[in-house]
mmCIF file with all atom_site columns, all heavy atoms in Angstrom:
data_model
loop_
_atom_site.group_PDB
_atom_site.id
_atom_site.type_symbol
_atom_site.label_atom_id
_atom_site.label_alt_id
_atom_site.label_comp_id
_atom_site.label_asym_id
_atom_site.label_entity_id
_atom_site.label_seq_id
_atom_site.pdbx_PDB_ins_code
_atom_site.Cartn_x
_atom_site.Cartn_y
_atom_site.Cartn_z
_atom_site.occupancy
_atom_site.B_iso_or_equiv
_atom_site.pdbx_formal_charge
_atom_site.auth_seq_id
_atom_site.auth_comp_id
_atom_site.auth_asym_id
_atom_site.auth_atom_id
_atom_site.pdbx_PDB_model_num
ATOM 1  N N   . GLU A 1 90 ? 2.144  13.114 9.594  1.00 97.00 ? 90 GLU A N   1
ATOM 2  C CA  . GLU A 1 90 ? 2.395  14.351 10.326 1.00 97.00 ? 90 GLU A CA  1
ATOM 3  C C   . GLU A 1 90 ? 3.617  15.097 9.787  1.00 97.00 ? 90 GLU A C   1
ATOM 4  O O   . GLU A 1 90 ? 3.605  16.327 9.670  1.00 97.00 ? 90 GLU A O   1
ATOM 5  C CB  . GLU A 1 90 ? 2.581  14.039 11.815 1.00 97.00 ? 90 GLU A CB  1
ATOM 6  C CG  . GLU A 1 90 ? 2.815  15.253 12.704 1.00 97.00 ? 90 GLU A CG  1
ATOM 7  C CD  . GLU A 1 90 ? 1.635  16.194 12.735 1.00 97.00 ? 90 GLU A CD  1
ATOM 8  O OE1 . GLU A 1 90 ? 0.517  15.772 12.379 1.00 97.00 ? 90 GLU A OE1 1
ATOM 9  O OE2 . GLU A 1 90 ? 1.823  17.368 13.079 1.00 97.00 ? 90 GLU A OE2 1
ATOM 10 N N   . GLN A 1 91 ? 4.668  14.351 9.438  1.00 96.00 ? 91 GLN A N   1
ATOM 11 C CA  . GLN A 1 91 ? 5.885  14.995 8.950  1.00 96.00 ? 91 GLN A CA  1
ATOM 12 C C   . GLN A 1 91 ? 5.639  15.732 7.641  1.00 96.00 ? 91 GLN A C   1
ATOM 13 O O   . GLN A 1 91 ? 6.266  16.758 7.380  1.00 96.00 ? 91 GLN A O   1
ATOM 14 C CB  . GLN A 1 91 ? 6.992  13.960 8.760  1.00 96.00 ? 91 GLN A CB  1
ATOM 15 C CG  . GLN A 1 91 ? 6.625  12.848 7.809  1.00 96.00 ? 91 GLN A CG  1
ATOM 16 C CD  . GLN A 1 91 ? 7.629  11.691 7.815  1.00 96.00 ? 91 GLN A CD  1
ATOM 17 O OE1 . GLN A 1 91 ? 8.833  11.923 7.819  1.00 96.00 ? 91 GLN A OE1 1
ATOM 18 N NE2 . GLN A 1 91 ? 7.129  10.476 7.807  1.00 96.00 ? 91 GLN A NE2 1
ATOM 19 N N   . TYR A 1 92 ? 4.718  15.243 6.828  1.00 97.00 ? 92 TYR A N   1
ATOM 20 C CA  . TYR A 1 92 ? 4.416  15.912 5.567  1.00 97.00 ? 92 TYR A CA  1
ATOM 21 C C   . TYR A 1 92 ? 3.402  17.016 5.781  1.00 97.00 ? 92 TYR A C   1
ATOM 22 O O   . TYR A 1 92 ? 3.425  18.015 5.069  1.00 97.00 ? 92 TYR A O   1
ATOM 23 C CB  . TYR A 1 92 ? 3.922  14.879 4.545  1.00 97.00 ? 92 TYR A CB  1
ATOM 24 C CG  . TYR A 1 92 ? 4.942  13.783 4.352  1.00 97.00 ? 92 TYR A CG  1
ATOM 25 C CD1 . TYR A 1 92 ? 4.740  12.513 4.880  1.00 97.00 ? 92 TYR A CD1 1
ATOM 26 C CD2 . TYR A 1 92 ? 6.144  14.047 3.712  1.00 97.00 ? 92 TYR A CD2 1
ATOM 27 C CE1 . TYR A 1 92 ? 5.698  11.535 4.741  1.00 97.00 ? 92 TYR A CE1 1
ATOM 28 C CE2 . TYR A 1 92 ? 7.110  13.071 3.580  1.00 97.00 ? 92 TYR A CE2 1
ATOM 29 C CZ  . TYR A 1 92 ? 6.887  11.812 4.104  1.00 97.00 ? 92 TYR A CZ  1
ATOM 30 O OH  . TYR A 1 92 ? 7.837  10.846 3.994  1.00 97.00 ? 92 TYR A OH  1
ATOM 31 N N   . ARG A 1 93 ? 2.521  16.817 6.745  1.00 96.00 ? 93 ARG A N   1
ATOM 32 C CA  . ARG A 1 93 ? 1.544  17.860 7.050  1.00 96.00 ? 93 ARG A CA  1
ATOM 33 C C   . ARG A 1 93 ? 2.283  19.138 7.488  1.00 96.00 ? 93 ARG A C   1
ATOM 34 O O   . ARG A 1 93 ? 1.938  20.242 7.089  1.00 96.00 ? 93 ARG A O   1
ATOM 35 C CB  . ARG A 1 93 ? 0.612  17.384 8.165  1.00 96.00 ? 93 ARG A CB  1
ATOM 36 C CG  . ARG A 1 93 ? -0.486 18.359 8.500  1.00 96.00 ? 93 ARG A CG  1
ATOM 37 C CD  . ARG A 1 93 ? -1.430 17.778 9.534  1.00 96.00 ? 93 ARG A CD  1
ATOM 38 N NE  . ARG A 1 93 ? -2.083 16.579 9.051  1.00 96.00 ? 93 ARG A NE  1
ATOM 39 C CZ  . ARG A 1 93 ? -1.972 15.364 9.624  1.00 96.00 ? 93 ARG A CZ  1
ATOM 40 N NH1 . ARG A 1 93 ? -1.277 15.211 10.704 1.00 96.00 ? 93 ARG A NH1 1
ATOM 41 N NH2 . ARG A 1 93 ? -2.575 14.328 9.116  1.00 96.00 ? 93 ARG A NH2 1
ATOM 42 N N   . LYS A 1 94 ? 3.311  18.955 8.268  1.00 95.00 ? 94 LYS A N   1
ATOM 43 C CA  . LYS A 1 94 ? 4.090  20.107 8.715  1.00 95.00 ? 94 LYS A CA  1
ATOM 44 C C   . LYS A 1 94 ? 4.699  20.840 7.527  1.00 95.00 ? 94 LYS A C   1
ATOM 45 O O   . LYS A 1 94 ? 4.761  22.068 7.511  1.00 95.00 ? 94 LYS A O   1
ATOM 46 C CB  . LYS A 1 94 ? 5.212  19.641 9.659  1.00 95.00 ? 94 LYS A CB  1
ATOM 47 C CG  . LYS A 1 94 ? 4.724  19.298 11.046 1.00 95.00 ? 94 LYS A CG  1
ATOM 48 C CD  . LYS A 1 94 ? 5.839  18.670 11.870 1.00 95.00 ? 94 LYS A CD  1
ATOM 49 C CE  . LYS A 1 94 ? 5.352  18.408 13.304 1.00 95.00 ? 94 LYS A CE  1
ATOM 50 N NZ  . LYS A 1 94 ? 6.322  17.561 14.043 1.00 95.00 ? 94 LYS A NZ  1
ATOM 51 N N   . ILE A 1 95 ? 5.121  20.085 6.520  1.00 95.00 ? 95 ILE A N   1
ATOM 52 C CA  . ILE A 1 95 ? 5.732  20.712 5.354  1.00 95.00 ? 95 ILE A CA  1
ATOM 53 C C   . ILE A 1 95 ? 4.710  21.492 4.547  1.00 95.00 ? 95 ILE A C   1
ATOM 54 O O   . ILE A 1 95 ? 4.949  22.638 4.169  1.00 95.00 ? 95 ILE A O   1
ATOM 55 C CB  . ILE A 1 95 ? 6.413  19.648 4.460  1.00 95.00 ? 95 ILE A CB  1
ATOM 56 C CG1 . ILE A 1 95 ? 7.566  18.983 5.218  1.00 95.00 ? 95 ILE A CG1 1
ATOM 57 C CG2 . ILE A 1 95 ? 6.913  20.292 3.180  1.00 95.00 ? 95 ILE A CG2 1
ATOM 58 C CD1 . ILE A 1 95 ? 8.206  17.853 4.454  1.00 95.00 ? 95 ILE A CD1 1
ATOM 59 N N   . TRP A 1 96 ? 3.533  20.890 4.295  1.00 93.00 ? 96 TRP A N   1
ATOM 60 C CA  . TRP A 1 96 ? 2.598  21.635 3.471  1.00 93.00 ? 96 TRP A CA  1
ATOM 61 C C   . TRP A 1 96 ? 1.978  22.785 4.250  1.00 93.00 ? 96 TRP A C   1
ATOM 62 O O   . TRP A 1 96 ? 1.646  23.801 3.683  1.00 93.00 ? 96 TRP A O   1
ATOM 63 C CB  . TRP A 1 96 ? 1.542  20.728 2.824  1.00 93.00 ? 96 TRP A CB  1
ATOM 64 C CG  . TRP A 1 96 ? 0.394  20.231 3.627  1.00 93.00 ? 96 TRP A CG  1
ATOM 65 C CD1 . TRP A 1 96 ? -0.522 20.971 4.308  1.00 93.00 ? 96 TRP A CD1 1
ATOM 66 C CD2 . TRP A 1 96 ? 0.005  18.856 3.806  1.00 93.00 ? 96 TRP A CD2 1
ATOM 67 N NE1 . TRP A 1 96 ? -1.443 20.165 4.897  1.00 93.00 ? 96 TRP A NE1 1
ATOM 68 C CE2 . TRP A 1 96 ? -1.155 18.860 4.607  1.00 93.00 ? 96 TRP A CE2 1
ATOM 69 C CE3 . TRP A 1 96 ? 0.507  17.644 3.366  1.00 93.00 ? 96 TRP A CE3 1
ATOM 70 C CZ2 . TRP A 1 96 ? -1.815 17.695 4.974  1.00 93.00 ? 96 TRP A CZ2 1
ATOM 71 C CZ3 . TRP A 1 96 ? -0.147 16.478 3.730  1.00 93.00 ? 96 TRP A CZ3 1
ATOM 72 C CH2 . TRP A 1 96 ? -1.300 16.509 4.540  1.00 93.00 ? 96 TRP A CH2 1
ATOM 73 N N   . GLU A 1 97 ? 1.876  22.668 5.543  1.00 93.00 ? 97 GLU A N   1
ATOM 74 C CA  . GLU A 1 97 ? 1.374  23.794 6.333  1.00 93.00 ? 97 GLU A CA  1
ATOM 75 C C   . GLU A 1 97 ? 2.407  24.891 6.390  1.00 93.00 ? 97 GLU A C   1
ATOM 76 O O   . GLU A 1 97 ? 2.086  26.077 6.337  1.00 93.00 ? 97 GLU A O   1
ATOM 77 C CB  . GLU A 1 97 ? 0.992  23.329 7.740  1.00 93.00 ? 97 GLU A CB  1
ATOM 78 C CG  . GLU A 1 97 ? -0.321 22.584 7.763  1.00 93.00 ? 97 GLU A CG  1
ATOM 79 C CD  . GLU A 1 97 ? -0.647 22.010 9.141  1.00 93.00 ? 97 GLU A CD  1
ATOM 80 O OE1 . GLU A 1 97 ? 0.239  22.071 10.029 1.00 93.00 ? 97 GLU A OE1 1
ATOM 81 O OE2 . GLU A 1 97 ? -1.750 21.498 9.310  1.00 93.00 ? 97 GLU A OE2 1
ATOM 82 N N   . SER A 1 98 ? 3.659  24.516 6.484  1.00 91.00 ? 98 SER A N   1
ATOM 83 C CA  . SER A 1 98 ? 4.738  25.496 6.506  1.00 91.00 ? 98 SER A CA  1
ATOM 84 C C   . SER A 1 98 ? 4.750  26.284 5.203  1.00 91.00 ? 98 SER A C   1
ATOM 85 O O   . SER A 1 98 ? 4.896  27.498 5.191  1.00 91.00 ? 98 SER A O   1
ATOM 86 C CB  . SER A 1 98 ? 6.079  24.797 6.697  1.00 91.00 ? 98 SER A CB  1
ATOM 87 O OG  . SER A 1 98 ? 7.121  25.651 6.332  1.00 91.00 ? 98 SER A OG  1
#
Side-chain angles (χ1 to χ4, degrees):
Chain A
E90 182 64 19
Q91 58 190 317
Y92 303 106
R93 183 176 298 119
K94 284 172 176 169
I95 296 175
W96 78 57
E97 284 175 352
S98 163

